[in-house]
Amino acid sequence: MVSYSLNTIQKIVHSIDKAPGLPQALNHLVTGIHQAAGVDVCSIYLTDTANRTNILMATYGLNPEAVGKVVLPFEEGLVGLVTEMSEPVNISDAPAHPRFKYVPEAGEDPFKSFLGVPVTRQGEQLAVLVVQQTTSRRFGEQEIAFLTTLAALIAGNIAIAKARGLIDDYFSAETGGGGLFAGVAGAPGIVIGQGLVNYRKNHIAEIPDRPAEDVAEEEAHLRAAIDAVVKESKSVGEQLGGSLPQTDQLLFNAYALIAGSDQLVGETVARIRAGNWAPGALRETIESFAARFESLEDPYMRERAGDIRDIGQRILGYMLKDDQKASEYPDQAILIGENLSPLDLGRVPIEKLAAVISGHGSAYSHLAILAHALNIPAVLGLAGRVPLNRLDGRTLIVDGYKGHIIVSPSKEELNEYRRLIRSEAQLAHELSALKDLPAVTTDGVRIHLLTNTGLMTSHAHAFDVGTEGIGLYRTEVPFMNRDNFPGEEEQRHIYRQVIETYMPKPVTLRTLDAGGDKVLPYLNRKEPNPFLGWRGIRVTLDHPELLLTQVRAMLRASEGYDKLKILLPMISNIDELDRAMSLIRRAYDHVINDGYEIRFPEIGAMIEVPSAVYLIDAICKRVDFLSIGTNDLIQYLLAIDRNNEQVARLFDPLHPPVLEALRLIVEAGRRHGRHVSVCGEAAGDPELAILFAAMRVDSLSVSAGDLPRVKCVIRALSWERADELWREARTMEHAVEIRHLLEGELERLGLSRLVGHGK
Ligand code: PEP
Ligand code: MG
């Protein structure tokens, strides 16, 4: 029966989602479409952009022998026409069409009508879906809508299934072969290391695949865990027997029966024998069982998928009870997770953590900022491109400049990347000569270079690169790794340690900026739009006791030191600023009454919400300094979620309105005699340093790893030349033109090596 309902679409998507490999996924797809739409033929051609061809990869209705053999160049046939047009091609008499190409091995002769729809993801064509019919007719609107909706929905699945197919090839290949997967550049650097998938033992869906080292042992492990669950279910059923209705008693029996069923044991054992370790094999079996239940019409039976997962979780619990491996880490561990949070980085001993890969996020996520501060590369936004849970134990290259990873690299790739790592080290060595020199232009404009810290980072690295102090200390982390707020004394101790480490250099402590992607489980509730929600100063003004405690701790920590600066995040109106200032005064009076002798600190406002740009004069009248948070300012100005990899490529500090906002802020700061600092990630971009110098920003606060490059640019440049470029940039309408202008200047200065890796 023909059905274009959402339910049908979801079922098809689900079936390909759960397929074990690419061929199965594509077969589910074409069969599903054939059944739903009642068409005679449904085929899918995967697009090979590099070779400009579409390859028949699965078909219902054409000659199955043709799969993998029909390779159509972009210029040929109606499938090529779909690629060329980038939209559906609907033809009632295909053989009569001038672009029709007769492919004898496909067996297309009897089919007249043709509808081809491109499958596209982020502007890139991944495949072409084709349906054909013997009768000559144009396909209707409903059919086109059905196929285009399906094409949009399956794009992610196709991408991942394609990637999975490639990775499987690398698993079996003897020499590897460089599967390159592009994500989003999160933090710079290059590393060759070993994948370590982050998983929670109580989440079966997160369990990675790993090679089974000893098949017999893995099998025994599985059987013992299953026996334990069968026994447990039976004995709980018996214990509760008297107090439960008979139907509920049956449930425990059912659990025992399913857990010990030949099918569950048999399928899992088969997967172990095929090479997966027991927990990975169990995950696969449970997923496929649950998918079978979920595809049933009867809602009661569909619900049983949850029971299956529950049983799987219990078996897994027994299996991982004494898992020794969980605490073994490779020396160059590349931590991998679908959605890693800054906290997850704490799961690997810091000296072994070499790089980070996450399914979600962009360069401006706090995960990336943390990686950057730790000086390790990060590639994010790989969800839907790589089956991340297959990367455990694999040799990987992480290229944090280009934002890609290479799975099981070839010898040539390893050699090439080793060369790049050496040239990186060489550049770092050359730049280390600048450590004790000031960042000053050739005509005498001085810009102070400080570092951002607070997120688990070691201060030693900041001193190694010659930091002039802390321009931004994010205080969130001590609040994050726990179940309740840290007390005043505990906070004082943390801040005091920081101050003592940096004395007599200036230290800027920012008050708590919880919310957004820094969720405190005991404080923040789930919000539909956390970045537009209860965040930063909004939280601490709603809880004045929090702000008072924190500021008192900061002030007490500054005893005997007169360079403390306090910074207020997310100021969006003057009322917030006035209320925060009055709370700071109250906290100050309190500590003075307690007998402390402390200078009133300089107070600054983060300029990171667009409204603050338009309130800049009123803000300047109230504060001692401004700190521009470009991460949030760009996010809010351009309406681009800083965490969302889908829009990461649009996040551009060189977008002319962003530069205009920066100009307004810096000029206002100068008019009012206020110190202006930039502390977002853009401050660490060597090209942007040219414009910040031209604007005469007083200081830049950057990740320690970025400091030497930024200093190198500033020292190579005259302010006069920077100003000339800035004037020229202001006549431009596109970020890309400005990028070219700045790249050209770095090239002229012989400093191209500072951006990207020394290729
Ligand atoms: C910013 O928004 O640019 C900033 C520095 O603060 P955070 O990244 O912590 O939001
Ligand atoms: Mg911010």
Side-chain angles (χ1 to χ4, degrees):
M1 198 184 63
V2 173
S3 164
Y4 303 125
S5 70
L6 182 60
N7 195 13
T8 308
I9 291 180
Q10 280 170 340
K11 259 201 217 158
I12 297 176
V13 172
H14 196 75
S15 71
I16 70 170
D17 207 10
K18 295 294 172 205
L22 182 63
Q24 294 91 335
L26 299 181
N27 278 330
H28 286 319
L29 176 69
V30 293
T31 318
I33 294 176
H34 151 75
Q35 282 167 355
V39 287
D40 299 326
V41 172
C42 178
S43 316
I44 183 156
Y45 296 77
L46 288 194
T47 305
D48 179 350
T49 316
N51 293 311
R52 297 183 52 78
T53 52
N54 289 304
I55 308 156
L56 178 67
M57 289 304 283
T59 182
Y60 179 93
L62 294 186
N63 177 10
E65 300 280 305
V67 166
K69 296 194 187 113
V70 174
V71 180
L72 301 167
F74 282 178
E75 297 72 28
E76 276 183 15
L78 296 174
V79 175
L81 188 60
V82 176
T83 305
E84 197 177 308
M85 307 288 285
S86 308
E87 63 173 345
V89 169
N90 187 1
I91 296 167
S92 56
D93 187 357
H97 193 279
R99 278 291 291 263
F100 180 77
K101 174 159 191 304
Y102 180 66
V103 185
E105 59 268 47
E108 274 185 304
D109 313 40
F111 305 108
K112 288 260 191 263
S113 39
F114 172 102
L115 171 62
V117 172
V119 179
T120 314
R121 188 184 154 93
Q122 293 193 343
E124 182 199 348
Q125 186 188 292
L126 300 173
V128 179
L129 255 180
V130 174
V131 292
Q132 291 170 282
Q133 205 79 331
T134 44
T135 46
S136 173
R137 66 172 183 103
R138 278 175 70 79
F139 284 90
E141 210 168 270
Q142 251 202 332
E143 289 160 309
I144 299 175
F146 171 69
L147 270 204
T148 42
T149 309
L150 202 51
L153 282 173
I154 61 166
N157 305 60
I158 300 267
I160 201 152
K162 238 171 144 177
R164 198 184 285 159
L166 284 175
I167 288 176
D168 284 345
D169 289 349
Y170 304 138
F171 277 172
S172 48
E174 279 181 14
T175 51
L180 187 148
F181 300 96
V184 174
I190 305 167
V191 150
I192 301 171
Q194 201 180 335
L196 178 72
V197 172
N198 178 53
Y199 63 89
R200 290 167 293 181
K201 287 184 183 177
N202 53 355
H203 285 66
I204 189 165
E206 293 180 5
I207 298 297
D209 289 342
R210 274 184 193 163
E213 277 165 23
D214 181 335
V215 169
E217 204 177 286
E218 292 295 317
E219 216 180 297
H221 205 137
L222 170 78
R223 290 185 193 278
I226 288 178
D227 280 351
V229 171
V230 170
K231 270 201 202 103
E232 181 193 68
S233 303
K234 281 186 183 153
S235 85
V236 175
E238 276 158 20
Q239 274 169 30
L240 299 177
S243 47
L244 281 180
Q246 214 190 351
T247 42
D248 290 341
Q249 278 180 46
L250 288 177
L251 179 73
F252 289 99
N253 286 338
Y255 263 45
L257 280 175
I258 296 171
S261 69
D262 288 346
Q263 217 180 348
L264 189 140
V265 179
E267 284 193 23
T268 313
V269 166
R271 290 188 161 100
I272 292 174
R273 291 183 187 163
N276 208 347
W277 70 322
L282 178 71
R283 189 207 71 242
E284 288 186 287
T285 305
I286 294 295
E287 272 174 7
S288 104
F289 269 47
R292 278 178 238 166
F293 276 95
E294 274 161 354
S295 68
L296 297 173
E297 292 293 338
D298 180 346
Y300 175 81
M301 293 308 284
R302 276 210 304 272
E303 284 295 310
R304 304 288 59 83
D307 294 334
I308 299 290
R309 293 203 173 91
D310 192 27
I311 291 166
Q313 191 59 56
R314 275 163 201 278
I315 301 173
L316 183 74
Y318 278 100
M319 253 189 295
L320 295 181
K321 218 156 121 201
D322 314 302
D323 183 22
Q324 292 299 324
K325 281 246 165 80
S327 51
E328 286 172 17
Y329 304 99
D331 284 340
Q332 287 281 89
I334 296 172
L335 188 67
I336 301 168
E338 272 299 325
N339 205 355
L340 289 179
S341 90
L343 288 186
D344 291 323
L345 300 202
R347 291 175 186 226
V348 180
I350 210 79
E351 68 283 2
K352 297 203 166 182
L353 184 63
V356 178
I357 294 175
S358 175
H360 296 285
S362 81
Y364 305 91
S365 312
H366 281 96
L367 174 71
I369 292 174
L370 178 53
H372 202 151
L374 290 168
N375 213 20
I376 57 173
V379 174
L380 313 177
L382 282 162
R385 291 158 192 261
V386 191
L388 290 169
N389 67 0
R390 298 210 175 191
L391 301 185
D392 199 79
R394 297 282 109 202
T395 299
L396 304 173
I397 293 175
V398 180
D399 185 335
Y401 292 104
K402 299 224 159 120
H404 64 224
I405 64 168
I406 299 179
V407 182
S408 302
S410 64
K411 255 198 210 127
E412 294 71 33
E413 283 161 331
L414 282 172
N415 287 340
E416 168 65 359
Y417 272 89
R418 285 192 187 116
R419 185 185 70 72
L420 289 172
I421 290 170
R422 279 196 302 276
S423 91
E424 277 266 298
Q426 173 63 25
L427 178 63
H429 177 72
E430 285 167 34
L431 291 176
S432 68
L434 304 178
K435 178 187 162 206
D436 298 315
L437 301 175
V440 59
T441 61
T442 53
D443 47 0
V445 173
R446 174 86 161 93
I447 296 174
H448 297 278
L449 295 185
L450 296 87
T451 33
N452 293 342
T453 183
L455 300 173
M456 290 162 56
T457 42
S458 97
H459 300 299
H461 187 44
F463 284 104
D464 283 348
V465 295
T467 182
E468 294 181 57
I470 298 183
L472 168 65
Y473 182 93
R474 292 180 169 96
T475 57
E476 291 74 64
V477 164
F479 285 80
M480 286 166 86
N481 291 314
R482 50 193 302 138
D483 299 329
N484 43 37
F485 298 118
E488 184 173 326
E489 182 50 27
E490 190 178 343
Q491 288 190 55
R492 188 202 67 81
H493 182 70
I494 296 169
Y495 305 146
R496 182 71 200 173
Q497 273 188 333
V498 177
I499 287 173
E500 276 179 1
T501 311
Y502 282 80
M503 256 162 144
K505 298 181 197 296
V507 169
T508 305
L509 299 178
R510 186 174 69 184
T511 64
L512 185 66
D513 184 21
D517 61 350
K518 287 173 293 188
V519 172
L520 306 186
Y522 52 88
L523 179 70
N524 299 101
R525 265 177 259 132
K526 214 168 162 47
E527 294 179 88
N529 283 310
F531 277 108
L532 299 182
W534 204 52
R535 206 198 144 186
I537 200 78
R538 300 169 188 177
V539 173
T540 46
L541 288 178
D542 281 351
H543 285 279
E545 74 285 2
L546 264 181
L547 191 63
L548 285 167
T549 307
Q550 189 176 34
V551 172
R552 274 200 307 266
M554 290 175 175
L555 293 170
R556 287 174 55 215
S558 76
E559 207 182 6
Y561 163 80
D562 62 359
K563 297 252 180 71
L564 173 67
K565 300 181 184 203
I566 294 182
L567 182 57
L568 301 166
M570 292 289 292
I571 295 292
S572 65
N573 64 49
I574 296 302
D575 183 53
E576 286 166 345
L577 188 52
D578 287 342
R579 280 162 59 211
M581 292 293 264
S582 104
L583 286 169
I584 293 174
R585 270 185 224 105
R586 231 167 90 189
Y588 181 73
D589 291 346
H590 195 139
V591 287
I592 293 293
N593 285 340
D594 281 350
Y596 283 87
E597 284 188 17
I598 294 165
R599 189 187 67 98
F600 192 79
E602 285 188 21
I603 308 293
M606 290 284 295
I607 307 299
E608 54 182 346
V609 178
S611 60
V613 180
Y614 299 100
L615 291 168
I616 199 70
D617 284 308
I619 292 174
C620 283
K621 283 182 199 150
R622 288 165 169 82
V623 297
D624 302 297
F625 68 98
L626 304 175
S627 190
I628 307 176
T630 48
N631 304 337
D632 281 313
L633 186 59
I634 297 171
Q635 146 163 278
Y636 296 128
L637 264 180
L638 303 185
I640 297 169
D641 181 343
R642 62 191 269 184
N643 259 342
N644 185 339
E645 63 278 3
Q646 285 228 54
V647 288
R649 70 210 140 91
L650 301 173
F651 196 107
D652 196 336
L654 293 177
H655 195 28
V658 174
L659 295 178
E660 179 58 12
L662 294 174
R663 186 182 70 82
L664 289 175
I665 303 164
V666 181
E667 287 187 0
R670 260 222 312 287
R671 262 198 318 277
H672 291 269
R674 301 293 181 252
H675 183 105
V676 181
S677 160
V678 183
C679 65
E681 292 301 289
D685 180 331
E687 286 166 0
L688 262 148
I690 299 174
L691 300 186
F692 288 133
M695 292 181 208
R696 283 181 181 255
V697 160
D698 297 292
S699 61
L700 296 172
S701 188
V702 302
S703 288
D706 288 338
L707 194 148
R709 292 166 202 254
V710 171
K711 189 188 277 187
C712 181
V713 171
I714 294 171
R715 289 181 57 85
L717 191 76
S718 72
W719 176 81
E720 211 175 315
R721 174 67 183 148
D723 184 54
E724 212 176 287
L725 292 164
W726 177 211
R727 282 168 200 272
E728 198 176 337
R730 275 158 60 191
T731 65
M732 296 174 167
E733 292 177 342
H734 303 282
V736 56
E737 290 174 86
I738 304 176
R739 182 69 71 194
H740 281 146
L741 179 74
L742 301 176
E743 274 169 6
E745 185 63 11
L746 287 192
E747 207 173 307
R748 199 184 64 79
L749 294 167
L751 298 180
S752 297
R753 268 193 328 150
L754 297 181
V755 284
H757 46 77
K759 266 189 169 169

